């Protein structure tokens, strides 16, 4: 009950502050992020710079297909139409999956041994891809100078299951996926991912943090990503009410 109350209060405060008449950058501090879209050319998705995202008149795609403000409640909407084979969306060279996702750029990377590294979000997934993992709603990625792999990915699927996949090595391909919690589709909830003092943990709706092994990763320089990183062929739709980082 206590955790639910915290989540409700966080959601209520976030909604009150959101202006449906502004682009996402008018409601969210996007000075710390750039944006990758599922459009562009093969292997080279369109990226929107942090400076272009900021402010009430900042970027949102004109057709409201991928990244825009919801006209009713002011949520930041991130949509993905499916996979390259099902929708013609485009990916990075190191991924088979399409995304509408924010990438942390300030700082561009950080040390997991530091005392504070936290990503918090309040959101609802109104449509999740029907693959087993659904879509990634938050992740920690190893700095690009070290590896093209994530430290961890927070998955949300069409059953409302939230799970975390953690890579065992920097070379990747050996991710261990662990169930975390369940939140029904279209239900608002919050999460916090921490990777600090070389300990990885996740909490849902203000509950007790669950810690996870990082195996042989050895605290690589990392950065946060948040959004909708679709893992399958069908569309996914994620609405954010609050996003914040702490370092």
């Amino acid at each position: 009950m206590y955790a639910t109350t915290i989540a409700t209060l966080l959601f209520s405060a976030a909604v009150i502050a959101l202006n449906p008449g502004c682009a996402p950058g008018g409601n969210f501090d996007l000075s710390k992020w750039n944006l990758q879209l599922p459009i562009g050319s093969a292997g080279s998705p369109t990226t929107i710079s942090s400076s272009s995202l900021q402010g009430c008149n900042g970027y949102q795609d004109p057709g409201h297909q991928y990244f825009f403000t919801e006209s009713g409640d002011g949520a930041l909407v991130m949509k993905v139409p499916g996979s390259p084979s099902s929708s013609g969306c485009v990916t990075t060279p190191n991924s088979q999956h399409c995304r509408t996702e924010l990438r942390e750029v300030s700082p561009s990377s950080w040390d997991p041994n530091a005392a504070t590294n936290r990503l918090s979000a309040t959101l609802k997934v109104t449509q999740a891809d029907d693959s087993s993992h659904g879509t990634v709603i938050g992740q920690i990625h190893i700095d690009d100078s070290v590896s093209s792999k994530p430290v961890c990915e927070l998955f949300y699927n069409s059953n409302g299951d939230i799970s975390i996949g953690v890579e065992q090595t920097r070379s990747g391909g050996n991710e261990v996926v662990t169930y975390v919690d369940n939140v029904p589709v279209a239900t608002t909830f919050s999460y916090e991912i921490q990777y600090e003092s070389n300990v990885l943990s996740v909490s849902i709706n203000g509950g007790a943090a669950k810690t996870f092994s990082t195996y042989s990763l050895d605290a690589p320089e990392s950065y946060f990503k948040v959004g909708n990183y679709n893992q399958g062929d069908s569309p996914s739709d994620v609405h954010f009410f609050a996003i914040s980082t702490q370092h």
Side-chain angles (χ1 to χ4, degrees):
M1 177 68 71
Y2 180 63
T4 302
T5 300
I6 291 175
T8 301
L9 290 173
L10 287 172
F11 171 60
S12 298
V15 169
I16 290 170
L18 300 180
N19 179 356
C22 277
N27 292 314
F28 296 79
D29 180 6
L30 299 183
S31 64
K32 301 177 180 180
W33 308 89
N34 67 17
L35 171 68
Q36 182 184 316
L37 294 168
I39 55 175
S41 56
S44 183
T46 297
T47 299
I48 308 299
S49 68
S50 173
S51 59
S52 297
L53 291 173
Q54 296 175 45
C56 189
N57 296 314
Y59 175 84
Q60 54 185 329
D61 74 277
H64 286 192
Q65 299 181 73
Y66 311 111
F67 181 87
F68 58 94
T69 296
E70 172 62 44
S71 61
D73 56 22
L76 191 171
V77 181
M78 296 195 224
K79 301 179 74 170
V80 177
S83 65
S85 60
S86 68
S87 71
C89 61
V90 300
T91 73
T92 62
N94 296 311
S95 177
Q96 301 175 10
H97 307 298
C98 298
R99 70 186 87 196
T100 300
E101 189 176 44
L102 295 167
R103 191 266 199 221
E104 189 177 26
V105 293
S106 180
S108 59
S109 66
W110 37 262
D111 181 1
N113 290 303
T116 305
N117 297 300
R118 302 181 182 187
L119 168 64
S120 303
T122 301
L123 68 153
K124 65 179 177 182
V125 181
T126 62
Q127 183 178 17
D129 170 73
D130 56 14
S131 63
S132 59
H133 291 330
T135 191
V136 177
I137 54 176
Q139 63 171 300
I140 299 172
H141 202 284
I142 301 173
D143 186 71
D144 301 341
S145 66
V146 177
S147 172
S148 63
K149 302 300 180 180
V151 170
C152 69
E153 299 172 298
L154 192 65
F155 299 110
Y156 182 102
N157 71 16
S158 58
N159 295 321
D161 293 331
I162 301 168
S163 57
I164 188 169
V166 183
E167 291 285 3
Q168 298 179 70
T169 64
R170 298 184 183 190
S171 58
N174 46 23
E175 189 176 58
V176 175
V177 179
T178 305
Y179 173 83
V180 176
D181 208 335
N182 180 274
V183 174
V185 172
T187 301
T188 300
F189 68 100
S190 63
Y191 71 74
E192 183 170 77
I193 303 173
Q194 301 183 18
Y195 193 18
E196 49 196 40
S197 302
N198 198 19
V199 175
L200 174 67
S201 66
V202 174
S203 62
I204 304 297
N205 283 338
K210 298 180 180 181
T211 60
F212 302 90
S213 173
T214 51
Y215 306 98
S216 301
L217 290 175
D218 194 26
E221 286 286 311
S222 300
Y223 56 86
F224 287 121
K225 304 185 84 174
V226 58
N228 180 357
Y229 179 24
N230 190 307
Q231 300 296 292
D233 295 322
S234 57
S236 51
D237 190 345
V238 184
H239 293 216
F240 287 89
F241 302 99
I243 299 170
S244 64
T245 57
Q246 292 177 265
H247 295 290

